[in-house]
Every structure is written in structure tokens, then in C-alpha cells.
Amino acid sequence: MLKVDNINVYYGAIHALKGVSLEVNAGEIVTLIGANGAGKSTLLKTLSGLTRPKSGNIEYEGNSIVKKRVQAIVKDGISHVPEGRRVFPTMSVTENLELGAFLRKDKKGIQKDMEHVFELFPRLYERRKQLAGTLSGGEQQMLAIGRGLMAKPKLLLLDEPSMGLAPLLVKQIFNIIEMINQEGTTILLVEQNANMALSIANRAYVIETGKVVLSGDAKELQTSELVREAYLGGA
Ligand code: ATP
């Protein structure tokens, strides 16, 4: 479904992604783990067209998207839920969700998907008229994911959905990510919570200072010495 081939991304003199290659197959949950500043967010931004690679290619469903505009990439079915939630604080929950569907014209489909988001997140239904800025951190994260789903993505890019949330909420969010995947959406999940991410993923890539240093089956990586030492708090 997605094939990233040898991409290099720079911020001025900073070489943020150094020849990164990876693949995501339809139906998978793939996770990208690594420390702060490793380049995980940069990779997601490059996939959604917010950042341009200096070289390399990104193929999605057989076509290069490396020069496509952000909106065209969303239309193709890639939806990005950025780090830090980024909801519109002075708009209601419903208005935030509607914005996620701004490129769509199928009113009935939009309504149906909004109902589905409210099924996944009953809490958002209860608070549908409330301003997003007054929601708790966990609710804002739910809203950010819900807004991402309103674009009707085939591939959902999630940047650190567990960040700053209490353990119980983290578990809830991860359960919902699994449900979204079971309903047919492919997921690329960036996480610092490596243990949780590996436990729901099919495959994983470990990224260090802009390079993929390890990749493979998620369950196998969960037991690998290197990953345990570096990302799972030792033995
Ligand atoms: P985090 O989880 O902290 O976001 P990350 O793995 O997602 O970490 P990136 O945010 O992708 O890492 O950052 C990769 C590198 O690029 C870091 O060295 C970071 O300082 C640098 N960087 C990221 N964004 C910018 C920017 N807009 N301008 C300059 N440098 C940047």
C-alpha cells in the first residue's frame, strides 16, 4: 500500500531523515518507535505532504505522492493525526469533526461517519456541543483521532496518541486503534510507548537519529535484547 524508498529530509543544515525506507501493507498496523528527536514525526509529515524530502520516493497504491499537495494526499485516503492533538479550541466537538470531512461532498456518508465516530467515542457524543478547548486531554486525543477518521482514510497516520495520557486512557485509546484497524483501516503508528505499540502492531521499525536501525515482526522485536534495553526499560 505504502512504499517509502530511501528518503532524505533536511531542516536547513539538520539532516532529519537519512535514507529511510519502509513499507506498510494494506490491513496492517505498523509502528515506528524511537527516542525523542529520532525523526518519527518528520516521517509522518513527509508522508502527508507537510514536509518535502530532498530525495527519495514515496509510493502509495502504486503512484508516487512525493510531489503531491497535502489536500490531494488526503483525498487519496491518507489522514494524519498530528502530535499534540491540535484540535480547534474555540469550535465545538461536532464542528471539529465536520472540519475533518471538509474535502468530502457526500453529505450522507459524512453523517454516517460522524455517527460512527460517536459510537467509537461515546464520550464525544456526550460532549458534542462543548467547545473542544474545554475537553480533557484524553477527550481531545479522541477528538483528534475522530477528526482524522472523518476524512474516511484508507491509511491513518497517528503521531503519539498516548502522549500525556493516564495509563487507563492509554489502554482505551489503543483498544480503539485496534478496532479502527479491524474495521479495515491501515495504520501507521508513531509511539514512544514502545511496549503498548508493539503489542498491537503487526510489524515495527525502530528509528534512531534519522535512520531505521531495526525492523521486523512486532512480537519478535518486543522480545529482542536491543529493543528491550533501549526502549522497554531494560529486562
Ligand atoms: P518527537 O517525538 O520529540 O517529536 P521525533 O522522533 O518525532 O521526536 P522529529 O520531531 O521528527 O523527531 O525531529 C527530528 C529532528 O529534526 C530533530 O533533531 C528535531 O530537532 C529536528 N526538527 C524537527 N522539526 C524541525 C523544524 N521545524 N525545524 C528544524 N528542526 C526540526
Side-chain angles (χ1 to χ4, degrees):
M1 181 181 216
L2 180 77
K3 202 168 176 189
V4 176
D5 187 18
N6 201 18
I7 56 168
N8 285 284
V9 175
Y10 293 80
Y11 295 109
I14 298 172
H15 195 177
L17 292 180
K18 302 168 185 160
V20 169
S21 298
L22 59 83
E23 279 183 40
V24 180
N25 302 309
E28 283 188 307
I29 299 181
V30 172
T31 187
L32 198 62
I33 58 178
N36 249 333
K40 307 181 298 298
S41 300
T42 300
L43 181 69
L44 293 195
K45 282 181 202 155
T46 310
L47 296 177
S48 60
L50 294 168
T51 302
R52 297 284 169 199
K54 192 159 187 187
S55 62
N57 193 27
I58 302 169
E59 212 174 86
Y60 170 72
E61 294 190 318
N63 300 310
S64 176
I65 56 166
V66 88
K67 292 201 171 76
K68 279 201 174 183
R69 299 162 67 119
V70 175
Q71 292 198 4
I73 293 173
V74 176
K75 270 202 169 149
D76 283 349
I78 300 182
S79 181
H80 183 180
V81 180
E83 187 176 6
R85 297 150 202 164
R86 310 268 173 82
V87 295
F88 297 97
T90 59
M91 298 176 95
S92 72
V93 166
T94 303
E95 285 165 344
N96 267 274
L97 291 176
E98 282 166 356
L99 272 181
F102 83 108
L103 288 174
R104 297 173 60 185
K105 298 208 167 63
D106 54 325
K107 277 215 168 95
K108 279 203 175 123
I110 294 172
Q111 188 56 36
K112 202 165 139 255
D113 287 340
M114 175 121 32
E115 282 162 21
H116 185 54
V117 168
F118 285 142
E119 275 165 24
L120 285 173
F121 302 106
R123 190 80 185 181
L124 292 182
Y125 181 72
E126 287 165 26
R127 316 224 150 184
R128 63 193 180 281
K129 293 188 180 133
Q130 210 168 303
L131 297 186
T134 66
L135 301 176
S136 72
E139 290 161 354
Q140 289 189 16
Q141 185 59 65
M142 292 173 191
L143 181 54
I145 296 173
R147 191 180 54 194
L149 289 175
M150 289 301 292
K152 211 177 176 50
K154 292 184 242 177
L155 173 63
L156 185 64
L157 311 176
L158 292 171
D159 199 346
E160 302 221 13
S162 79
M163 193 171 58
L165 303 184
L168 200 65
L169 263 175
V170 173
K171 199 150 191 325
Q172 225 179 320
I173 296 274
F174 274 81
N175 283 341
I176 288 166
I177 295 171
E178 278 188 298
M179 277 167 65
I180 293 168
N181 175 250
Q182 280 157 14
E183 289 169 359
T185 308
T186 306
I187 290 175
L188 180 57
L189 168 69
V190 158
E191 262 299 333
Q192 287 207 42
N193 192 335
N195 216 357
M196 283 294 271
L198 290 172
S199 66
I200 67 163
N202 303 104
R203 291 186 305 109
Y205 292 85
V206 179
I207 180 161
E208 266 176 25
T209 55
K211 280 190 185 146
V212 172
V213 292
L214 203 62
S215 65
D217 179 83
K219 302 294 168 291
E220 278 167 26
L221 285 187
Q222 215 167 5
T223 54
S224 103
E225 277 303 308
L226 195 135
V227 172
R228 289 179 77 85
E229 275 173 27
Y231 302 104
L232 301 175

